[in-house]
Amino acid sequence: MNRYQEEYNRKKMSARQVLENIQSRDFVFTPMAASCPDALMGELQHLKDTGVKDVILQSCIPSVDYPVFHDPEMKAVMAHHGWFFTAGLRKANAQRLVSAVPQHSTSILRKTLDRIRYEGRRPVLLTTVSPMDARGYMSLSISSIYEMDVVRAGAVLLVEVNPNYPRTFGDTMVHISQVTALVESDRPILCVDPAPYTEVDATIGKYVASLVEDGSTIQLGIGNIPNAVANELKSKKHLGIHTEMFTETMVDLIECGAVDNTQKGFNDGVSICSFTMGSRRLYDFLDDNPMVLFKSSTYSNDPYTIGRNNKFVSINATLEMDLTGQAASESVGPVQFSGSGGQAETIQGAQMSPGGKSILAMHSTYTDRDGKLHSKIVPMLTPGAAVTTSRNDVDYVVTEYGIAWLRGLTIAERVQALTKIAHPDFRAWLLEEAEENHIW
């Protein structure tokens, strides 16, 4: 037994014992999505028994709706802050048990660490890691979007070691000497198969793909429309990947030869990402794969870093857009739905890139609970809606009815361009509202 294994064994304990390292006034970070350590998160209510108070819990797209999120007794123990909401957090928000933090992915951690220092708190990171190697290193596995930055800020590191998590490269390696306590687990990693998409998604995918030239560097998200876009990109050549989320569809693009990362002009030969979530096939592809590097979002989403890539194309979704081009992508009126993520930064970075383009894609309509059809292109945003992408930054907008290129257009020209890609049933209404409200 080497000294690293001896240190590992000394730090191994039960989940509750690990959590007893949390102190009053600690600021506890949890990782992105499926990186959340179930063994620890499932026991987090144990903090009620330890006597700690005034703890802050920071989550971001937790993939499991843990009971602790809905326990009103935990309010006396900790406040829950959310960087990006899920359905579970939307429910907890309605219960006033979590509050959203407005953020950009490249600056939110710096701002949070500034707060921690100002308030005299201690950072703590709960996360899942892959097993330790012979030199004492573990991998942060499927997310390093801000986790490594937290570690470098001197956080107390409490981990779940799980052999089902892939070993990845980049800003991912932590050493056993940096770990305060650990628990072992062999729970299955959360697997999510690619979402099927509709004919409307396929139509939007074709329009978006028509804007992507051979040799482009792409950023894609998760969901129906990005999956449809990726399917249409399979005929392209010499694409590169520089993205926040590495998706299942990117494996398809690499394996079919559309992506070879040869013409990025920056980080040639490798795909850059910050986190991932998907199927077992995706995790197996990433395991011990040095051609995919996981980097902090302060790097991957930095507009200036993005702008160093050739023909960078950002592809994002939005919930609602007004006739001037303002995009509300994270709230429905004043009610938080998701989060800003890296949308604004990738949009800005794409337009700094030589030959770059940024695309916002959406269905032209949605149907409410009563079956009534509504336009997603509106004269003015729903009152209280958060503007995720400003009208100053919007570039291409795509619906199933076509493409509107808003770069450099006047307000009057934008009204005409956006009306043309709105659902036909709402076009006359949009023009009437623009006239009545002096949107010109």
Side-chain angles (χ1 to χ4, degrees):
M1 182 184 299
N2 65 30
R3 60 190 176 94
Y4 302 129
Q5 190 62 51
E6 290 174 354
E7 185 173 3
Y8 180 99
N9 291 342
R10 286 196 306 271
K11 293 178 176 181
K12 183 172 63 175
M13 54 191 71
S14 71
R16 291 194 172 195
Q17 288 172 322
V18 171
L19 292 172
E20 286 168 7
N21 287 278
I22 295 174
Q23 302 173 5
S24 293
R25 291 186 52 75
D26 278 352
F27 196 106
V28 180
F29 293 86
T30 62
M32 284 281 289
S35 284
C36 273
D38 276 10
L40 299 177
M41 294 299 292
E43 294 284 357
L44 203 52
Q45 287 157 294
H46 175 58
L47 294 183
K48 291 188 290 187
D49 304 323
T50 67
V52 300
K53 296 185 182 302
D54 192 21
V55 174
I56 294 177
L57 177 72
Q58 179 67 67
S59 68
C60 189
I61 325 181
S63 54
V64 176
D65 188 16
Y66 297 102
V68 69
F69 296 159
H70 307 285
D71 183 351
E73 293 181 0
M74 287 299 293
K75 290 184 75 172
V77 177
M78 70 179 195
H80 185 182
H81 299 176
W83 281 350
F84 201 104
F85 276 17
T86 57
L89 294 196
R90 290 192 286 273
K91 179 181 176 183
N93 181 243
Q95 298 167 315
R96 302 191 71 171
L97 296 176
V98 63
S99 185
V101 183
Q103 53 89 11
H104 284 309
S105 59
T106 56
S107 62
I108 183 60
L109 183 62
R110 173 179 52 80
K111 294 174 181 177
T112 302
L113 292 174
D114 285 346
R115 172 182 178 169
I116 288 171
R117 284 188 287 268
Y118 178 77
E119 296 182 354
R121 295 181 181 272
R122 186 180 70 153
V124 177
L125 174 64
L126 308 182
T127 194
T128 309
V129 295
S130 64
M132 186 177 72
D133 66 18
R135 295 175 178 82
Y137 286 96
M138 309 168 184
S139 166
L140 290 170
S141 190
I142 59 174
S143 179
S144 67
I145 193 163
Y146 53 81
E147 292 84 352
M148 183 56 78
D149 288 338
V150 174
V151 172
R152 288 170 177 159
V156 174
L157 185 54
L158 308 176
V159 304
E160 172 188 329
V161 182
N162 191 319
N164 296 310
Y165 276 67
R167 182 173 183 263
T168 60
F169 298 96
D171 292 334
T172 60
M173 292 298 169
V174 294
H175 195 264
I176 184 61
S177 61
Q178 297 171 287
V179 174
T180 297
L182 64 93
V183 62
E184 292 183 329
S185 168
D186 63 355
R187 65 178 173 86
I189 188 172
L190 178 68
C191 292
V192 181
D193 290 325
Y197 54 84
T198 65
E199 290 185 13
V200 171
D201 299 321
T203 300
I204 294 172
K206 287 182 173 65
Y207 281 125
V208 171
S210 72
L211 297 171
V212 180
E213 304 170 49
D214 289 344
S216 294
T217 306
I218 59 170
Q219 171 255 321
L220 285 171
I222 191 171
N224 298 15
I225 292 176
N227 289 348
V229 172
N231 187 59
E232 297 298 327
L233 293 178
K234 290 179 180 179
S235 61
K236 304 290 181 176
K237 298 177 181 178
H238 306 302
L239 298 180
I241 292 173
H242 183 111
T243 188
E244 183 177 39
M245 182 177 184
F246 193 91
T247 66
E248 180 94 16
T249 54
M250 291 175 179
V251 179
D252 297 334
L253 291 173
I254 292 170
E255 291 186 341
C256 78
V259 166
D260 60 16
N261 288 310
T262 60
Q263 297 185 15
K264 295 166 69 176
F266 182 59
N267 289 318
D268 285 345
V270 295
S271 298
I272 299 294
C273 68
S274 285
F275 81 104
T276 191
M277 187 170 69
S279 71
R280 184 73 255 179
R281 168 177 173 255
L282 170 65
Y283 300 138
D284 289 344
F285 176 84
L286 294 170
D287 189 36
D288 264 329
N289 187 342
M291 306 311 292
V292 181
L293 299 184
F294 283 70
K295 304 289 285 185
S296 167
S297 65
T298 53
Y299 178 89
S300 66
N301 290 359
D302 178 15
Y304 296 97
T305 302
I306 290 170
R308 296 175 70 180
N309 291 280
N310 292 325
K311 296 182 183 178
F312 188 92
V313 182
S314 71
I315 302 165
N316 292 290
T318 191
L319 299 173
E320 186 179 61
M321 178 172 287
D322 73 14
L323 286 173
T324 73
Q326 295 188 110
S329 307
E330 62 193 88
S331 74
V332 179
V335 179
Q336 193 73 22
F337 183 81
S338 55
S340 299
Q343 180 172 126
E345 295 141 313
T346 57
I347 283 174
Q348 292 166 358
Q351 293 174 63
M352 295 178 185
S353 164
K357 303 169 184 175
S358 68
I359 301 167
L360 284 174
M362 62 178 175
H363 289 197
S364 66
T365 61
Y366 72 93
T367 304
D368 66 21
R369 293 177 180 176
D370 298 322
K372 184 177 179 181
L373 194 68
H374 298 267
S375 178
K376 287 190 174 186
I377 297 174
V378 293
M380 291 169 279
L381 297 179
T382 302
V387 176
T388 307
T389 297
S390 81
R391 65 188 190 177
N392 300 340
D393 293 324
V394 71
D395 193 13
Y396 290 88
V397 182
V398 177
T399 73
E400 69 271 30
Y401 291 102
I403 301 168
W405 191 22
L406 302 190
R407 188 184 297 191
L409 297 191
T410 66
I411 298 299
E413 290 169 331
R414 290 175 180 218
V415 169
Q416 296 298 320
L418 288 170
T419 298
K420 288 177 182 177
I421 64 167
H423 190 286
D425 291 354
F426 296 98
R427 292 175 185 173
W429 168 73
L430 288 169
L431 293 174
E432 290 167 5
E433 288 292 309
E435 190 70 21
E436 184 175 335
N437 291 285
H438 296 189
I439 306 172
W440 55 55

